[in-house]
Amino acid sequence: MKIGRREFDLKNHTYIMGILNVTPDSFSDGGRFNRMDDALFHVEQMLEEGMDILDIGGESTRPGYAQVPETEEIDRVIPVIEAVKRRFDVPVSLDTCKEAVAAAGISAGADMINDIWGLKSDPKMARVIADAHVPCILMHNRENTDYQDLIREVKEELKESVKLAKGAGIRQEEIILDPGIGFGKTYQQNLQMLCALEELKELGYPVLLGASRKSVIGITLDLPVQERTEGTLVTTVLAVMKGCAFVRVHDIKENVRTIRMTEAVLNAGRAEQDRG
């Protein structure tokens, strides 16, 4: 897959997507990177630590969040996208579910759209992405947690997002799927989804896992947001072992090391099997 100017080998490595929230109320780092200098310094730091893609978001999606107007979201993200693209050679993903924000972001230099509603929130979103020929992340989300069969229903609902994408002209090689940890799922359902990540690969698309510092970790370990690094690293190990192509995380250095170690062990095991 090509994202921006970079080629990604999605079969043999798990890549790091770093998070930059330019919002006053993000659950993890709300307000920390609203100033341009702070945002750019953080991007530089994440790149030095091994980030592969930057995901910029201008609207908090924490539990109970309130949507912000399109114009306000555009005002938050566009200057940051433009500044990042001027200063750094890194693919930029824009986290939005609004067509107007996506269009403005792509015009400003965004290389990918990350839609937490899997194209189901804004009927014009799929066409904007298709016309721009940029990749997209389609996340599973729903308004309730009333599942009869969690994994089967998540897969079916992701297929609906894929159908919307392809119907608009988005190509197969431009689609990434996200199971939506923390969205439309109870605590137990989030754990179940983490355990079954490999089943999403059966749909035939690369998978991104976004579990960094989320409440499923906080509840399990009874820890506040800023103390959830170890729990996040466990989910990253699971992502690598279950074949996810990307992890979306806050703590770059620690996750880079975790991926490197996990892949070394798995590659050694495969090499031994091949010799056998």
Side-chain angles (χ1 to χ4, degrees):
M1 173 179 284
K2 189 172 185 181
I3 305 173
R5 296 190 296 177
R6 181 172 175 185
E7 295 281 350
F8 289 82
D9 176 7
L10 303 184
K11 292 186 177 180
N12 298 298
H13 181 54
T14 301
Y15 293 92
I16 296 275
M17 173 181 277
I19 300 168
L20 179 65
N21 290 313
V22 288
T23 62
D25 57 347
S26 166
F27 85 97
S28 177
D29 47 19
R32 286 188 62 198
F33 306 118
N34 283 355
R35 290 182 63 251
M36 183 67 76
D37 287 349
D38 293 337
L40 294 175
F41 178 79
H42 188 53
V43 172
E44 183 175 31
Q45 181 182 32
M46 289 193 289
L47 282 168
E48 289 174 354
E49 292 181 353
M51 173 179 68
D52 299 297
I53 305 174
L54 175 67
D55 192 45
I56 298 174
E59 178 178 74
S60 173
T61 53
R62 61 185 173 81
Y65 77 99
Q67 280 202 338
V68 300
E70 289 177 353
T71 53
E72 183 176 345
E73 189 175 343
I74 288 170
D75 288 344
R76 289 177 181 179
V77 300
I78 298 308
V80 179
I81 294 171
E82 292 174 341
V84 168
K85 297 302 286 188
R86 280 196 302 268
R87 289 166 174 78
F88 305 108
D89 183 18
V90 60
V92 171
S93 165
L94 174 57
D95 182 352
T96 186
C97 59
K98 301 184 183 81
E99 166 265 338
V101 180
I106 292 167
S107 295
D111 303 296
M112 179 162 66
I113 299 299
N114 180 8
D115 186 344
I116 67 164
W117 283 101
L119 307 179
K120 296 177 181 180
S121 175
D122 190 327
K124 297 179 181 178
M125 177 67 93
R127 177 61 62 186
V128 166
I129 295 169
D131 289 348
H133 302 291
V134 296
C136 58
I137 301 166
L138 308 180
M139 195 188 83
H140 176 266
N141 205 345
R142 55 148 72 177
E143 296 282 2
N144 62 72
T145 58
D146 302 329
Y147 299 89
Q148 299 301 312
D149 184 333
L150 174 71
I151 305 305
R152 180 184 62 78
E153 290 176 51
V154 168
K155 289 168 70 175
E156 288 301 316
E157 289 166 22
L158 282 171
K159 286 180 183 177
E160 293 170 2
S161 290
V162 169
K163 187 176 180 180
L164 289 171
K166 290 189 168 181
I170 299 172
R171 297 174 296 177
Q172 171 133 350
E173 61 269 25
E174 295 172 329
I175 296 172
I176 299 167
L177 301 181
D178 179 341
I181 300 299
F183 292 84
K185 299 168 189 67
T186 65
Y187 166 69
Q188 199 64 39
Q189 288 164 349
N190 283 314
L191 291 174
Q192 188 180 345
M193 191 72 252
L194 285 167
C195 190
L197 289 173
E198 72 279 4
E199 294 202 32
L200 294 188
K201 288 197 67 184
E202 296 173 3
L203 298 177
Y205 298 90
V207 174
L208 176 145
L209 177 65
S212 182
R213 300 184 185 175
K214 287 189 175 175
S215 61
V216 64
I217 297 168
I219 294 170
T220 302
L221 302 179
D222 191 22
L223 290 172
V225 168
Q226 300 301 334
E227 294 183 31
R228 298 176 187 174
T229 301
E230 298 93 341
T232 298
L233 298 179
V234 172
T235 68
T236 294
V237 172
L238 286 170
V240 176
M241 295 186 72
K242 292 173 180 290
C244 293
F246 303 93
V247 288
R248 180 181 180 273
V249 297
H250 298 84
D251 304 293
I252 307 302
K253 176 179 65 178
E254 294 86 349
N255 280 278
V256 166
R257 293 173 178 175
T258 296
I259 289 171
R260 187 181 303 159
M261 188 68 209
T262 308
E263 288 182 343
V265 172
L266 293 177
N267 290 337
R270 293 185 189 113
E272 186 63 28
Q273 286 179 341
D274 291 343
R275 282 197 294 270

